[in-house]
């Protein structure tokens, strides 16, 4: 399936709204009972058909099931960066997923690991990436016209590719 988002709705191609009612907000519920504020937000899918919407304005990562039920996954809407359940997300930039359906939220100089069991935990970075993806058991991030390879712990950051005009990165 192909999914895409407007500022207020999540769609399945071609033009079938599965969640959202066309108004800005942060309301959980089923189908049109839900509301989003997705300006500069991102969506990503897991292997079970769930969609996750990263909502910078609402400071939340929300889960949309295949049947359109929307719920908070992590983030409480507060303007803080606090670990725990549901935790809080400060200035979320990007989101990625690994082959085990673990979700990772990029904040300035941090990768936040999102889990239903532990809520949010933090991996601190020495750079402030603008985009992130996960492949081959490592993170790859763009920062200052370079692509960096970052270990799962965040402790090893190496330049993977230099002097490229990149500000977004995605696994293919």
């Amino acid at each position: 399936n192909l999914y895409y988002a407007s500022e207020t709705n999540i769609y399945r191609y071609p033009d079938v709204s599965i969640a959202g009612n066309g108004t800005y907000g942060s309301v959980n519920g089923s189908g049109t009972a839900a509301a989003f504020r997705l300006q500069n937000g991102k969506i990503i899918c897991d292997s079970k058909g769930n969609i996750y919407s990263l909502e910078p304005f609402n400071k939340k990562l929300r889960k949309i099931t295949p049947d359109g039920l929307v719920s908070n996954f992590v983030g409480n809407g507060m303007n803080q960066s606090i670990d725990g359940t549901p935790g809080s997300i400060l200035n979320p930039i990007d989101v990625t997923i690994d082959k085990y359906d673990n979700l990772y939220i990029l904040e300035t100089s941090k990768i936040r690991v999102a889990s239903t069991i532990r809520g949010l935990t933090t991996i601190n970075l020495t750079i402030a990436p603008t985009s992130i993806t996960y492949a081959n058991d490592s993170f790859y991030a763009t920062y200052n016209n370079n692509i960096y390879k970052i270990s799962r712990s965040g402790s090893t950051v190496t330049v993977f590719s230099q002097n490229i005009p990149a500000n977004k990165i995605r696994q293919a």
Side-chain angles (χ1 to χ4, degrees), residues 49-98:
N50 297 303
I51 303 166
Y52 297 87
S53 66
L54 181 64
E55 301 174 43
F57 186 85
N58 292 329
K59 296 172 180 48
K60 295 179 180 182
L61 180 69
R62 296 167 70 204
K63 179 180 177 179
I64 302 100
T65 63
D67 59 355
L69 182 62
V70 178
S71 61
N72 283 351
F73 190 71
V74 292
N76 60 11
M78 301 299 291
N79 198 25
Q80 301 171 319
S81 185
I82 299 174
D83 288 350
T85 303
S88 59
I89 304 167
L90 177 65
N91 301 323
I93 299 166
D94 204 357
V95 63
T96 191
I97 193 166
D98 68 17

Side-chain angles (χ1 to χ4, degrees), residues 24-159:
Y24 291 126
S26 180
V27 179
N28 293 327
S30 187
T32 57
F36 298 91
R37 188 156 187 181
L38 287 163
Q39 297 100 319
N40 300 317
K42 310 283 190 276
I43 61 170
I44 197 160
C45 300
D46 69 15
S47 64
K48 298 172 187 82
N50 297 303
I51 303 166
Y52 297 87
S53 66
L54 181 64
E55 301 174 43
F57 186 85
N58 292 329
K59 296 172 180 48
K60 295 179 180 182
L61 180 69
R62 296 167 70 204
K63 179 180 177 179
I64 302 100
T65 63
D67 59 355
L69 182 62
V70 178
S71 61
N72 283 351
F73 190 71
V74 292
N76 60 11
M78 301 299 291
N79 198 25
Q80 301 171 319
S81 185
I82 299 174
D83 288 350
T85 303
S88 59
I89 304 167
L90 177 65
N91 301 323
I93 299 166
D94 204 357
V95 63
T96 191
I97 193 166
D98 68 17
K99 63 184 175 184
Y100 306 107
D101 289 339
N102 297 308
L103 293 156
Y104 304 93
I105 301 166
L106 178 63
E107 287 182 7
T108 305
S109 301
K110 296 178 185 179
I111 299 171
R112 308 294 299 285
V113 184
S115 160
T116 55
I117 298 168
R118 294 185 311 266
L120 287 166
T121 56
T122 300
I123 301 170
N124 289 305
L125 302 176
T126 57
I127 60 172
T130 56
S131 181
I132 194 165
T133 194
Y134 191 89
N136 304 319
D137 291 324
S138 295
F139 298 102
Y140 293 86
T142 56
Y143 172 69
N144 201 22
N145 291 326
N146 295 317
I147 297 176
Y148 290 84
K149 182 177 181 180
I150 304 167
S151 66
R152 285 181 64 92
S153 68
S155 61
T156 305
V157 178
T158 57
V159 177

